[in-house]
């Protein structure tokens, strides 16, 4: 095993851990950028969510399943549920407003300080997708990753303890 | 009324999301689930009433016009199936809560996603969204079928997943064929364009779709996965699968074959129908465990529904539609009774359990009513359904399939008698394994089963008006102009 990475179940490696600490916020900002860019450029909720998910995996590689709090402490059930809820309710909101289900509307206004703000109904829908994909990454780490860590943890032989 | 179409899909989906968020608390989850499913029942009732009086309803999601956008359509067949399905989903949910099958936090979310997938399949107005709806339903079913994570469940779950993934791959491929040939996937748009294709191409595409949905519906010879995987899952899961999933496959077969308008495949479909009936029922006779017998009966009964399609007449399709309406609750309730038998006797094996008639007479009654209906004994709903098909077969001069269907229903009666004499008559045996020997802790399960039995009896009582609706649905299937009009120029 190399000294650079953390062997599954092994102790954290200082170099990797510090690199990841720096990388995670940058990755998360990039994911949010992609989320917003997605309206009329490559990106969107799914891609943004995947990039944010990669931050979760980076944390897992450097520090193990228990340390995913470095990215989010929210349980994956809540992330997944909130994401689906947000996307579905976006559709229902247009119904309530008297339009068709999921019919998109645009909000464009000149606001003080912020300048012209343009906002479309696809944004909350996309944020929902983002949360679902992120939740999936957290779920993978929490269920598969934790088990892999436990299975592969170095077994301490009884005679080693005695010594 | 068009508001109801997206709501029929979104309400269970929102329920699933809420159930995920509150997965820490079982009582809250149960409340969320019950509210979502009850609301779905209400939506389905309102939809059927609306479609019955105002005709086919269509909605373009996101207001993108057909054939580009996502189209949801409710005609009589779809809204009838939707209502029976969500009612069944409701009773099984109550049963599952009574049984404690929801001990894992993921049960309720998956169950509601499954419901949303089933609703979306019935309402999908184009082939690609039909595919998406099937996938929503199937992915939830993959989780549910392996929920206990026992060795047997994972083994048979694997073959279930592999078979369904293969069929899904073929499904997308077939969708691509249709798009390449016609340039559209919207079913209403397809009606005109498909007719312009050369005959061999039409027949080929029709056959590919028959294979795709034949796997999902478990018709001969594509049924091998079903009796292998269903019996190992928890009772409430098997019950809802048995009632719904194969019937969604049948729905998709009827829908696509009538949109493609392929009466020339009728003879072939009849051969498949006859073989499905006979092989299924013979398989059932060879089994000696209640759930396994019932699993083979699912296959056999699918044959009858396909027979109605093969006749390709108003009478035949009306028989098929009514058969599905009758079959969804009957099949489900028989599996629920299987769950009660296992609860009391500890096993569903005919050799190990006996004398339940003396121990729990209620369960015997709850079994007898739907079992007689399944075999087609008057005055139950199964009799009406079979009579309609036989009548349609006779007027279509298809003597062979009529004879086969009658023979298969006698054999159905034989295997129902086998369950009856094995489990309910004979020596009173001591419960094996973790059988409780009584129904003391199972009031909710009994109530849910009884409710579902009442639903099957209600179908028998309302057979007249229901059959009339089925006939109107069949007329709509053979003359799709109201369907096309509702979608293309609202």
């Amino acid at each position: 095993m190399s000294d650079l990475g953390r062997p599954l179940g092994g102790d954290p490696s200082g170099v990797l851990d510090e690199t990841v600490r720096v990388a995670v916020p940058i990755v998360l900002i990039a994911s949010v950028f992609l989320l917003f860019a997605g309206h009329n450029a490559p990106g969107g909720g799914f891609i943004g969510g995947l990039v944010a998910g990669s931050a979760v995996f980076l944390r897992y590689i450097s520090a193990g399943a228990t340390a995913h709090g470095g990215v989010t402490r929210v349980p994956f059930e809540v992330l997944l549920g909130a994401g689906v809820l947000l996307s579905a309710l976006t559709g229902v909101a247009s119904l309530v407003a008297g339009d068709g289900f999921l019919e998109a509307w645009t909000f464009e206004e000149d606001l003080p300080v912020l300048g012209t703000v343009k906002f479309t109904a696809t944004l909350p829908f996309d944020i929902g997708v983002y949360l679902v994909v992120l939740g999936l990454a957290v779920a993978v780490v929490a269920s598969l990753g934790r088990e892999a860590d436990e299975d592969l943890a170095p077994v301490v032989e009884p005679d080693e303890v005695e010594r | 009324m068009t508001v109801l179409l997206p709501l029929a899909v979104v309400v269970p989906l929102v329920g699933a999301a809420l159930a995920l968020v509150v997965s820490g608390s079982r009582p809250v989850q149960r409340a969320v689930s019950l509210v979502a499913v009850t609301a779905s029942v209400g939506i389905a009732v309102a939809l059927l009433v609306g479609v019955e009086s105002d005709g086919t309803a269509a909605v373009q999601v996101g207001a993108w016009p057909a054939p580009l956008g996502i189209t949801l359509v409710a005609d009589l067949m779809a809204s009838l199936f939707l209502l029976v399905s969500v009612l069944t989903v409701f009773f099984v949910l109550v049963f599952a809560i009574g049984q404690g099958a929801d001990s894992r936090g993921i049960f309720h979310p998956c169950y509601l996603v499954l419901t949303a997938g089933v609703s979306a399949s019935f309402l999908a107005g184009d082939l690609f969204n039909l595919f998406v709806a099937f996938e929503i339903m199937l992915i939830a079913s993959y989780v549910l079928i392996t929920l206990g994570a026992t060795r047997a469940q994972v083994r048979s779950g694997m073959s279930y997943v592999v078979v369904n993934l293969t069929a899904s791959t073929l499904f997308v491929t077939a969708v691509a064929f249709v798009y390449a040939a016609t340039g559209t996937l919207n079913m209403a748009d397809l009606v005109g364009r498909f007719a312009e294709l050369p005959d061999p191409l039409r027949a080929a595409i029709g056959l590919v779709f028959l294979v795709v949905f034949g796997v999902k519906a478990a018709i001969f010879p594509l049924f091998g996965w079903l009796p292998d995987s269903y019996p190992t899952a928890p009772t409430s899961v098997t019950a809802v699968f048995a009632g719904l999933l194969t019937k969604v496959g049948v729905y998709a077969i009827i829908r696509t074959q009538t949109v493609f308008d392929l009466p020339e495949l009728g003879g072939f479909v009849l051969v498949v129908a006859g073989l499905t009936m006979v092989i299924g029922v013979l398989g059932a006779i060879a089994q000696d465990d209640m759930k396994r017998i019932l699993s083979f009966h699912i296959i056999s009964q699918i044959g009858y529904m396909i027979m109605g399609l093969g006749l390709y007449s108003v009478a035949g399709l009306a028989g098929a539609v009514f058969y599905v309406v009758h079959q969804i609750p009957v099949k489900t309730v028989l599996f629920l009774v299987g769950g009660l038998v296992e609860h009391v006797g500890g096993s569903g094996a005919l050799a190990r359990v006996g004398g339940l008639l003396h121990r729990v007479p209620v369960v015997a009654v709850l079994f007898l009513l739907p079992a007689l209906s399944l075999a087609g004994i008057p005055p139950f709903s199964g009799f009406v359904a079979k009579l309609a098909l036989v009548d349609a077969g006779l007027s279509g001069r298809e003597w062979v399939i009529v004879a086969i269907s009658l023979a298969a229903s006698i054999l159905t009666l034989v295997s129902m008698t086998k369950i009856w004499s094995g489990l309910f008559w004979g020596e009173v045996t001591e419960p094996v394994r973790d059988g409780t020997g009584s129904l003391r802790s199972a009031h909710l399960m009994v109530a849910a089963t009884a409710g579902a039995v009442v639903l099957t009896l209600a179908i028998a009582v309302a057979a007249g008006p229901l059959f009339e609706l089925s006939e109107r649905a069949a007329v709509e299937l053979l003359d799709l102009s109201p369907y096309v009009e509702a979608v293309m120029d609202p």
Side-chain angles (χ1 to χ4, degrees):
Chain A
M1 276 173 222
S2 92
D3 296 336
L4 287 172
R6 176 187 66 94
L8 278 172
D11 295 325
S13 133
V15 175
L16 183 68
D17 206 35
E18 288 308 317
T19 317
V20 167
R21 263 173 215 281
V22 176
V24 162
I26 300 171
V27 171
L28 284 177
I29 289 169
S31 81
V32 174
F33 170 78
L34 284 170
L35 166 69
F36 282 103
H39 184 68
N40 44 17
F46 187 79
I47 308 293
L50 280 180
V51 172
S54 71
V56 177
F57 292 130
L58 277 178
R59 280 296 292 178
Y60 168 66
I61 291 172
S62 77
T66 41
H68 64 78
V71 174
T72 170
R73 287 182 197 281
V74 186
F76 66 86
E77 289 96 341
V78 176
L79 282 172
L80 288 170
V84 175
L85 211 57
L86 189 58
S87 294
L89 291 183
T90 310
V92 179
S94 352
L95 264 187
V96 174
D99 294 332
F101 179 72
L102 270 178
E103 190 166 345
W105 39 265
T106 316
F107 167 89
E108 192 165 2
E109 203 69 54
D110 286 319
L111 293 181
V113 187
L114 293 172
T116 311
V117 173
K118 191 180 172 194
F119 178 83
T120 66
T122 42
L123 183 65
F125 184 88
D126 246 9
I127 295 176
V129 176
Y130 179 95
L131 289 177
V132 169
V133 179
L134 178 61
L136 211 65
V138 177
V140 167
V141 168
S143 48
L144 298 178
R146 185 164 298 157
E147 221 152 274
D149 266 358
E150 281 165 11
D151 287 352
L152 298 173
V155 182
V156 183
E157 298 291 338
D159 55 323
E160 280 180 35
V161 177
E162 279 164 30
R163 263 183 279 153
Chain B
M1 184 182 64
T2 49
V3 168
L4 295 170
L5 287 128
L7 283 185
V9 182
V10 170
V11 164
L13 213 53
V14 167
L18 280 175
L20 255 180
V21 174
V22 299
S23 58
S25 155
R26 214 158 20 131
V28 182
Q29 259 198 331
R30 287 174 169 177
V32 167
S33 244
L34 282 171
V35 169
V37 172
T38 314
S40 301
V41 172
I43 292 167
V45 171
L47 198 58
L48 180 60
V49 171
V51 170
E52 199 271 331
S53 61
D54 303 345
T56 304
V59 64
Q60 313 297 337
V61 174
W64 296 95
L68 299 175
I70 300 173
T71 308
L72 297 176
V73 195
D75 61 353
L76 266 179
M77 174 168 75
S79 21
L80 261 177
F81 289 0
L82 180 67
L83 176 58
V84 189
S85 301
V86 288
L87 276 172
T88 309
V89 160
F90 173 78
F91 287 119
V92 177
L93 177 64
V94 176
F95 187 94
I97 290 175
Q99 194 190 24
D102 56 347
S103 56
R104 281 163 200 263
I106 201 68
F107 176 85
H108 285 288
C110 282
Y111 192 79
L112 289 168
V113 168
L114 184 86
T115 312
V118 170
S119 304
S121 305
F122 288 142
L123 299 176
D126 67 81
L127 288 173
F128 189 74
N129 287 304
L130 185 64
F131 170 75
V132 173
F134 258 88
E135 286 306 298
I136 294 175
M137 179 178 90
L138 287 171
I139 286 172
S141 80
Y142 299 154
V143 180
L144 288 173
I145 207 164
T146 50
L147 204 57
T150 63
R151 185 178 288 267
Q153 276 178 357
V154 172
R155 190 199 61 78
S156 59
M158 274 308 283
S159 61
Y160 176 81
V161 170
V162 168
V163 167
N164 274 296
L165 279 182
T166 314
S168 295
T169 312
L170 192 57
F171 191 171
V172 196
T173 316
V175 167
F177 286 163
V178 173
Y179 192 76
T182 64
T184 185
L185 292 175
N186 187 296
M187 289 198 252
D189 199 23
L190 262 178
V191 171
R193 298 208 201 174
F194 201 78
E196 294 163 9
L197 297 180
D199 279 349
L201 183 59
R202 289 172 56 232
I205 290 180
L207 279 175
V208 174
F209 273 93
L210 196 62
V211 171
V212 167
F213 298 124
V215 174
K216 319 273 184 189
I219 62 176
F220 177 85
L222 307 165
F223 59 80
W225 55 273
L226 189 147
D228 180 49
S229 55
Y230 275 21
T232 54
T235 302
S236 34
V237 170
T238 319
V240 79
F241 281 21
L244 296 184
L245 297 199
T246 47
K247 277 55 168 193
V248 178
V250 172
Y251 166 83
I253 290 180
I254 296 180
R255 175 65 78 207
T256 48
Q257 298 297 318
T258 50
V259 164
F260 296 158
D261 192 24
L262 291 164
E264 55 266 42
L265 289 184
F268 175 72
V269 172
L270 282 182
V271 172
V272 171
L275 285 168
T276 310
M277 284 178 209
V278 173
I279 306 286
V281 82
L282 289 181
I285 285 180
Q287 301 300 316
D288 52 8
D289 178 272
M290 182 166 175
K291 272 191 184 172
R292 295 194 69 87
I293 293 177
L294 291 175
S295 294
F296 273 99
H297 272 298
I298 299 175
I299 300 161
S300 167
Q301 304 295 319
I302 297 292
Y304 287 89
M305 303 162 201
I306 302 299
M307 168 185 166
L309 174 69
L311 294 169
Y312 217 82
S313 61
V314 169
L317 282 169
V321 170
F322 188 81
Y323 210 101
V324 174
V325 169
H326 130 85
Q327 188 67 204
I328 289 175
V330 163
K331 198 84 247 177
T332 304
V333 82
L334 282 169
F335 273 95
L336 292 184
V337 173
L340 287 177
V341 166
E342 285 182 359
H343 178 80
V344 174
S347 162
L350 303 187
R352 299 173 70 182
V353 181
L356 288 177
L357 181 60
H358 304 287
R359 202 186 270 279
V360 279
V362 185
V363 177
V365 174
L366 290 179
F367 171 74
L368 194 59
L369 298 177
L372 291 176
S373 181
L374 186 77
I377 304 290
F380 297 105
S381 53
F383 171 71
V384 185
K386 280 188 178 138
L387 183 68
L389 283 176
V390 166
D391 192 37
L394 290 178
S395 51
R397 301 183 170 276
E398 299 283 356
W399 316 118
V400 182
I401 190 75
V402 170
I404 291 176
S405 71
L406 291 174
S409 51
I410 293 172
L411 292 175
T412 306
L413 190 59
V414 169
S415 67
M416 285 299 130
T417 318
K418 190 174 161 184
I419 297 183
W420 177 260
S421 60
L423 294 177
F424 295 99
W425 275 350
E427 297 278 303
V428 179
T429 53
E430 281 308 303
V432 293
R433 279 187 303 185
D434 47 357
T436 55
S438 76
L439 290 171
R440 207 165 296 135
S441 56
H443 294 306
L444 200 56
M445 285 156 77
V446 175
T449 316
V453 169
V454 170
L455 176 62
T456 68
L457 296 179
I459 289 177
V461 172
L466 270 178
F467 191 71
E468 212 173 288
L469 277 183
S470 308
E471 268 182 329
R472 281 174 55 193
V475 172
E476 284 182 0
L477 285 173
L478 289 181
D479 173 19
L480 284 162
S481 46
Y483 183 97
V484 174
E485 202 177 309
V487 176
M488 300 307 284
D489 22 40

